[in-house]
Amino acid sequence: MSSQCEGCNRSFLGGRFLQHLRKTTNRACQQYAAKLYSQAAVFPPESSTAANTDSDLEGHFGMQGITEFMDIDRTGDYFGNYDDLRPESDIGPDSTAAFSVSAGHDAPPPPTHPDCFRKPFVKNYPDPRAGAPLPSQTTYVDGNSRYTQDIGQKGNVWAPFQSEIDWKVAKWAKLRGPSSTAVTELLSIDGVPEKLGLSYNSVNQLNTIIDNNLPSRPRFKRHEVVVQGEVFEMYFRDIMECVKALYNEPEFAPYLKFAPEQHFENDSCEEQLFHDMHTGRWWWSTQKALDKTAGPGRTVVPIILSSDKTQVTVFRNKSAYPVYLTIGNIPKELRRKPSRRAYILLGYLPTTRLEHITSEASRRRTIANLYHTCMRHIVKPLEAPGATGTVMTSGDGVDRLTHPIFAVYIGDYPEQILVTCGITGFCPRCSIPRQRVGENTEPHPLRNLQAILEALRKVDEGASVFVRACKDVGIKPVFEPFWANLPYSNVFMSITPDLLHQLYQGVLKHLKLWIIEAYGAHEIDARCRRLPPNHNIRIFVKGISTLSHVSGQEHDQISHFLLGLIADALLPNGMSNVRLLRCLRGLLDFLFLAQYPVHSDSTLSLMSTALENFHANKQIFVDIGIRSNFRIPKIHFMNHYLESIKLFGTLDNFNTEYTERLHIDLAKDAYRSTNRKDEYSQMMKWLERKEKHPSAKSVKIPDLTHRFGAKFFRAALSRFIVQLESPGLSGRRLEDAVDRHFLGISSVAVYHRIKYLRNDLFTGEFGTADSIHVEPARTDKRGHTIPGRFDTALVRINDSKGFDNITQDMRIGQVRLVFTLSEKDADRLFCAVPVTERPKHLAYIEWFTKFGARDPNHGLYKVSRCNVEGGRLASVVDIRRLIRSVHLFPQFGRVASREWTSGAVLEACSSFFVNSDSDRHMYQLFSTSH
């Protein structure tokens, strides 16, 4: 299936269409890509399944078609469904253990033309001049033409380099190579340049070309700050040059947003949608303020800053204090990928403990003043252009009158307090009294910026007056906070939620520790070790109570099974666990909903309800003696999540997890590339440079019973073939036909894993979103027995489409076998079935019971084994009916059986809870199912 680009009128097959749109330098194609992005990238197709199979002679399994965008439910979720997963590649009888599938059954190939995508109803800003190009601009010069004009060498595509290899070596040395000294030393070795095929021998020339001609960010400046007689160094880039570098990046040009919009589910405008920053209310209101005070025709450039201390080496206690910058015009899908370089390392602030200051209060004030003094140097160039505007050129050569305006500051709680000049223990955003922090969801007004600015102006009236004025408005006495003179900004509004530190490393961490204390570490750890394996679940073989320095990623992993550990466990002394379960359920709902990349009024209402449930039931921890109060700022800050989403878009617009990743890329790697003597100076210089074949081809039928546990394989396969040939048979007639059916096969080819792949829209890369293991026990090289693993899956049991009624349309099954028939056997057994309708890959499934009622306290469904005379109820199904893997919680009872193990618990236990929290997709499926 092909798609046509309206920019160049060329047709492209499958994924090459989007690859073309991502990489094109053609202006018309870039405009077409921008059009598609604004209309469709966030709102995927109503139905997007890929299920056609290939029928070539080698028995390859290749899904036809490609789905680049994921399904979005009407409630505003954007995690998609596993019908949208594309196969890794073809597989055949000579390959290894795993193959990849795109799930679904009897579904047409997915639409690849953009007109098939559902679009939101968009209300544009009422004044069309907002974000518009300057009227004086009548001609367009694309980035490639401008570059050619600048270098003046139209005959050499590698100019100003002499050849392709020159370019590649320079690029490697600039972006991926070791220190500049190491490169110099390498190229100084006699014969090395010639060996590499370089067209020049001068190391100095190479370094000059590297430094001057590769696209690089603005250079760092060094500045000294003196605090109480001590001199500190800071390194920073010109912030306006950094803003221009991002705004002018040709790669971002097709996707930049220049004006605010309001998105709705449909033209009734009853359900507003929030996702990228331009859909939030802050941009809309800021545009109105600009129109009123500065005049129409302005373009807002939202400035997003982030800072956090990070250890850059494990010895000598060296630390860097990086500050990062990005702009809200760049879509979040690009900003959150470090490889796209949408964040710029703005500078390093001095790090010090000021140990020579003996007074702790004085030391804290001095550190705060040092921070704001440094940040004031960095952001001061924003003041004039933010107020009056400055002309900037985007990567497509278009000029606009822009206003770079400080919008968001990303950081954890200590950073938030430091930025707002706040006092530890209080909220950095609102005026809630200290004693009421964490109490409930009652709203409190934003801190009064005007009153605080008035207090800061009293600095000239004497120290005592100034200190008293600051205390009265609830801030530290800081001389000239960096944000005091930034136009159209409110630092207290700019403090946004922090999923990593507030939820995972904050509230969830507290709740985990309280639960361990309530039930006992020994029992909690025993249950952790007995969870069955799953692609999305990490098994903590030593439990979770003894973990030290637990990372945010580990708390994320724990969140996916914590509820299942205690779902049926009574509290000590026989106390009901209902309130505890409801409290944890409320927090998990809030946590998972908070991560939605698209929110609607409905999903925000669900978040509000989840938070209310958490607060309504948290008193249980006081009643059992674990807590005396909940005065924890991170608990309180959850009250501000909904407000922030409405203002700035969804929380993946401003998550410290992204800049945590940048710490590794920009700070730690830079430090390790220097000689560690004059680390900061050298760090500045470095940064500027800078399975598919069957696992077994032929397994005998008796081995399927003994090794895979497929006890009723022959009968199940015969039933599958009879029903495929005669779908109208039922009851006694069906049973008689199955009894008469002659199978006549001696072996099958088997597979040990099914992979589900997800495609990244912007990079074109594929990753494993889910997998199902179907592996019998085996012996390793040392003679040790490795237990088998047979995962459970969500299986569609009818021919319905979609995922609106999971509990009726699907069942849980344990996958005991994935197999294919030989070409000869398939031709004989499926002779009555048209070739195009013949199934290729089949699975032997052992069934669990239908979904019962959802538990009102922990929200999980219960299922049990379906046993029949002589074994377990089983069927053979088309592999395309396997929607995804499913993780099950054993029903542990009062005390977990110490005879159970992780690898054998699915066989030993008979009743389970379905883990609807195993990953975001699973949560979305069950939260929206009727």
Side-chain angles (χ1 to χ4, degrees):
M1 193 175 213
S2 64
S3 300
Q4 187 176 32
C5 173
E6 294 181 4
C8 59
N9 294 321
R10 293 171 58 196
S11 295
F12 299 88
L13 292 174
R16 293 184 178 179
F17 172 58
L18 287 182
Q19 292 177 7
H20 161 70
L21 293 183
R22 280 191 294 269
K23 299 178 180 180
T24 182
T25 57
N26 182 296
R27 170 63 175 160
C29 298
Q30 289 178 341
Q31 290 179 329
Y32 182 54
K35 171 187 173 184
L36 295 189
Y37 177 79
S38 63
Q39 294 179 345
V42 183
F43 301 92
E46 296 274 6
S47 175
S48 54
T49 56
N52 289 354
T53 57
D54 193 8
S55 59
D56 63 29
L57 296 180
E58 291 186 10
H60 288 354
F61 183 77
M63 297 303 179
Q64 304 302 305
I66 178 172
T67 301
E68 302 285 347
F69 302 99
M70 296 184 295
D71 182 47
I72 179 172
D73 183 77
R74 59 184 172 80
T75 57
D77 182 43
Y78 182 48
F79 293 120
N81 63 68
Y82 278 61
D83 279 357
D84 301 326
L85 305 179
R86 177 183 171 177
E88 206 169 38
S89 62
D90 290 345
I91 59 172
D94 297 324
S95 53
T96 70
F99 65 89
S100 308
V101 301
S102 178
H105 184 68
D106 296 335
T112 56
H113 193 275
D115 289 343
C116 298
F117 293 105
R118 185 174 69 188
K119 304 172 184 177
F121 180 79
V122 178
K123 275 190 176 181
N124 294 315
Y125 189 75
D127 189 339
R129 293 171 291 180
L134 290 176
S136 59
Q137 183 156 324
T138 57
T139 60
Y140 164 76
V141 181
D142 63 59
N144 287 336
S145 299
R146 294 176 62 185
Y147 177 74
T148 301
Q149 293 172 8
D150 290 342
I151 64 173
Q153 296 186 37
K154 298 183 179 180
N156 178 15
V157 296
W158 303 107
F161 301 94
Q162 296 299 314
S163 65
E164 179 181 3
I165 192 169
D166 290 0
W167 153 253
K168 288 184 176 179
V169 170
K171 180 182 178 183
W172 169 83
K174 177 85 171 181
L175 303 178
R176 303 293 300 172
S179 68
S180 59
T181 302
V183 174
T184 301
E185 291 176 352
L186 172 65
L187 296 178
S188 297
I189 300 174
D190 289 342
V192 168
E194 292 83 355
K195 193 74 173 177
L196 292 175
L198 300 179
S199 59
Y200 49 82
N201 298 321
S202 171
V203 173
N204 290 333
Q205 183 183 0
L206 173 61
N207 285 330
T208 299
I209 291 178
I210 290 173
D211 288 337
N212 295 336
N213 292 302
L214 273 178
S216 60
R217 302 295 164 86
R219 294 198 175 269
F220 285 88
K221 305 174 183 178
R222 178 181 175 276
H223 187 80
E224 289 185 352
V225 179
V226 181
V227 178
Q228 294 195 359
E230 186 173 352
V231 179
F232 299 96
E233 288 182 339
M234 62 176 291
Y235 292 85
F236 62 97
R237 286 165 161 152
D238 185 305
I239 190 169
M240 277 305 300
E241 292 303 314
C242 291
V243 172
K244 291 177 181 177
L246 290 171
Y247 187 86
N248 192 37
E249 171 60 55
E251 185 179 356
F252 301 150
Y255 310 110
L256 290 183
K257 296 297 180 182
F258 301 106
E261 297 174 349
Q262 291 179 346
H263 286 202
F264 298 89
E265 186 178 88
N266 51 50
D267 57 7
S268 69
C269 297
E270 296 176 352
E271 191 83 4
Q272 189 168 358
L273 305 176
F274 304 92
H275 46 93
D276 271 294
M277 200 166 179
H278 71 288
T279 66
R281 295 172 181 173
W282 175 88
W283 199 327
W284 192 281
S285 63
T286 303
Q287 190 76 53
K288 289 178 64 176
L290 274 176
D291 289 352
K292 183 177 180 180
T293 58
R298 312 292 171 134
T299 299
V300 175
V301 179
I303 303 299
I304 303 174
L305 299 177
S306 173
S307 67
D308 191 13
K309 292 183 178 179
T310 176
Q311 293 295 319
V312 297
T313 182
V314 296
F315 62 93
R316 293 192 296 174
N317 199 30
K318 296 290 183 182
S319 61
Y321 201 164
V323 181
Y324 301 100
L325 163 77
T326 189
I327 57 176
N329 311 81
I330 303 172
K332 61 182 181 176
E333 285 83 1
L334 293 177
R335 273 189 277 122
R336 67 188 183 188
K337 298 180 184 302
S339 61
R340 304 311 290 265
R341 304 182 73 205
Y343 275 87
I344 287 183
L345 177 60
L346 188 57
Y348 280 118
L349 304 185
T351 56
T352 177
R353 297 177 182 175
L354 297 177
E355 294 175 347
H356 66 286
I357 301 178
T358 56
S359 169
E360 184 176 347
S362 177
R363 187 186 308 120
R364 286 198 299 265
R365 287 195 300 269
T366 304
I367 289 176
N369 277 284
L370 174 62
Y371 167 82
H372 282 275
T373 299
C374 295
M375 286 296 297
R376 190 167 62 252
H377 278 289
I378 293 175
V379 304
K380 187 170 182 58
L382 292 177
E383 294 176 7
T388 61
T390 182
V391 176
M392 287 201 297
T393 306
S394 51
D396 54 6
V398 177
D399 293 338
R400 290 177 173 85
L401 181 57
T402 64
H403 289 253
I405 297 174
F406 170 53
V408 169
Y409 202 104
I410 302 172
D412 60 8
Y413 180 71
E415 294 290 311
Q416 294 171 350
I417 292 297
L418 183 61
V419 168
T420 58
C421 308
I423 300 172
T424 301
F426 287 80
C427 176
R429 186 181 172 101
C430 75
S431 58
I432 186 172
R434 174 70 182 92
Q435 64 272 18
R436 300 196 63 185
V437 167
E439 190 175 85
N440 52 39
T441 60
E442 180 183 349
H444 292 266
L446 205 65
R447 286 180 177 266
N448 190 328
L449 177 62
Q450 293 305 316
I452 289 172
L453 291 175
E454 285 294 328
L456 292 171
R457 294 189 187 104
K458 296 184 182 293
V459 66
D460 296 328
E461 299 181 19
S464 60
V465 174
F466 177 62
V467 171
R468 170 57 62 182
C470 290
K471 183 177 180 181
D472 290 344
V473 294
I475 64 171
K476 290 189 181 79
V478 174
F479 300 96
E480 295 186 75
F482 76 85
W483 38 262
N485 297 319
L486 294 178
Y488 303 103
S489 64
N490 185 328
V491 68
F492 305 106
M493 185 183 294
S494 75
I495 301 300
T496 53
D498 176 7
L499 288 173
L500 177 62
H501 294 101
Q502 287 176 348
L503 290 187
Y504 285 115
Q505 296 291 70
V507 185
L508 182 68
K509 174 183 176 180
H510 287 303
L511 211 59
K512 176 201 69 176
L513 295 175
W514 301 343
I515 288 171
I516 291 173
E517 185 175 349
Y519 288 97
H522 187 65
E523 181 62 22
I524 292 295
D525 289 343
R527 295 178 179 227
C528 286
R529 291 191 292 267
R530 287 160 178 81
L531 294 175
N534 179 269
H535 176 85
N536 298 290
I537 297 296
R538 174 182 171 182
I539 306 299
F540 289 81
V541 294
K542 295 183 179 180
I544 60 175
S545 68
T546 59
L547 294 175
S548 61
H549 306 293
V550 186
S551 67
Q553 183 181 23
E554 287 173 320
H555 275 127
D556 176 31
Q557 294 161 344
I558 291 171
S559 72
H560 296 302
F561 62 77
L562 185 59
L563 182 62
L565 299 180
I566 60 172
D568 62 344
L570 294 177
L571 289 166
N573 302 320
M575 182 182 293
S576 171
N577 66 350
V578 167
R579 284 186 296 161
L580 194 153
L581 292 176
R582 289 178 177 175
C583 177
L584 180 55
R585 177 73 272 167
L587 176 63
L588 292 177
D589 284 340
F590 185 87
L591 189 155
F592 296 143
L593 287 165
Q595 297 175 70
Y596 275 23
V598 176
H599 266 294
S600 66
D601 291 331
S602 295
T603 57
L604 292 177
S605 177
L606 292 176
M607 280 185 68
S608 179
T609 300
L611 187 58
E612 291 284 356
N613 290 338
F614 167 78
H615 280 288
N617 293 281
K618 69 180 188 297
Q619 183 67 23
I620 182 64
F621 294 105
V622 174
D623 295 345
I624 61 179
I626 291 177
R627 294 290 302 175
S628 60
N629 64 72
F630 298 94
R631 292 179 193 147
I632 301 173
K634 292 179 180 180
I635 290 180
H636 160 75
F637 203 92
M638 291 193 293
N639 294 352
H640 297 302
Y641 275 50
L642 273 69
E643 179 187 8
S644 288
I645 291 171
K646 291 178 180 179
L647 283 171
F648 299 109
T650 46
L651 302 187
D652 52 353
N653 276 287
F654 31 83
N655 191 348
T656 54
E657 186 175 359
Y658 304 143
T659 51
E660 290 273 344
R661 173 61 185 162
L662 292 174
H663 292 167
I664 299 174
D665 291 346
L666 300 181
K668 297 179 181 178
D669 287 352
Y671 184 84
R672 290 163 187 156
S673 294
T674 68
N675 60 17
R676 294 176 172 83
K677 293 178 181 178
D678 184 15
E679 53 268 10
Y680 288 130
S681 297
Q682 292 193 46
M683 285 173 73
M684 299 308 107
K685 188 173 183 180
W686 185 90
L687 289 167
E688 288 175 354
R689 286 170 137 11
K690 191 163 170 162
E691 315 167 315
K692 295 158 192 162
H693 302 294
S695 305
K697 297 180 183 178
S698 179
V699 179
K700 301 297 183 183
I701 300 302
D703 289 338
L704 300 181
T705 301
H706 302 139
R707 297 184 57 219
F708 291 83
K711 188 173 184 178
F712 303 123
F713 175 78
R714 290 182 180 276
L717 181 56
S718 292
R719 177 181 294 270
F720 173 81
I721 295 171
V722 168
Q723 289 181 312
L724 188 65
E725 294 177 341
S726 307
L729 292 181
S730 62
R732 186 69 261 169
R733 294 176 60 203
L734 173 62
E735 297 303 322
D736 290 343
V738 171
D739 291 340
R740 293 193 304 267
H741 186 267
F742 176 69
L743 203 55
I745 63 173
S746 59
S747 64
V748 295
V750 302
Y751 299 83
H752 287 173
R753 188 186 302 181
I754 304 171
K755 283 186 181 180
Y756 298 83
L757 303 183
R758 177 172 292 154
N759 177 236
D760 185 282
L761 171 66
F762 287 96
T763 66
E765 298 173 353
F766 290 91
T768 301
D770 192 19
S771 66
I772 298 173
H773 290 249
V774 192
E775 303 172 79
R778 63 189 188 280
T779 303
D780 63 17
K781 295 179 179 179
R782 298 182 178 180
H784 300 152
T785 299
I786 300 176
R789 175 175 168 180
F790 300 95
D791 289 351
T792 46
L794 190 64
V795 187
R796 192 181 294 276
I797 59 175
N798 55 36
D799 293 329
S800 64
K801 308 294 182 183
F803 298 87
D804 290 335
N805 202 339
I806 298 291
T807 58
Q808 297 298 316
D809 298 337
M810 302 185 190
R811 292 269 290 274
I812 306 295
Q814 186 177 22
V815 186
R816 306 294 310 202
L817 181 67
V818 174
F819 66 97
T820 57
L821 301 174
S822 68
E823 182 180 344
K824 180 180 178 181
D825 288 338
D827 287 341
R828 176 175 55 83
L829 292 173
F830 296 132
C831 60
V833 180
V835 174
T836 56
E837 298 178 13
R838 292 180 184 179
K840 190 67 180 177
H841 290 73
L842 304 172
Y844 178 91
I845 304 292
E846 291 183 344
W847 295 106
F848 288 79
T849 56
K850 295 181 178 180
F851 293 97
R854 187 192 295 248
D855 186 274
N857 301 315
H858 53 62
L860 303 178
Y861 290 98
K862 183 179 178 181
V863 295
S864 302
R865 287 282 190 181
C866 284
N867 295 317
V868 295
E869 184 178 353
R872 296 169 178 164
L873 183 64
S875 302
V876 167
V877 301
D878 191 319
I879 196 72
R880 291 171 294 178
R881 288 188 178 272
L882 273 60
I883 303 302
R884 53 154 300 146
S885 74
V886 170
H887 184 246
L888 299 180
F889 293 126
Q891 191 169 351
F892 288 109
R894 183 178 293 272
V895 178
S897 173
R898 297 317 192 247
E899 296 180 357
W900 291 354
T901 64
S902 175
V905 69
L906 287 176
E907 308 302 323
C909 182
S910 59
S911 296
F912 302 84
F913 295 111
V914 179
N915 185 359
S916 54
D917 302 332
S918 61
D919 58 86
R920 298 174 188 174
H921 173 260
M922 190 71 175
Y923 179 82
Q924 184 264 340
L925 281 180
F926 280 85
S927 63
T928 58
S929 177
H930 300 318

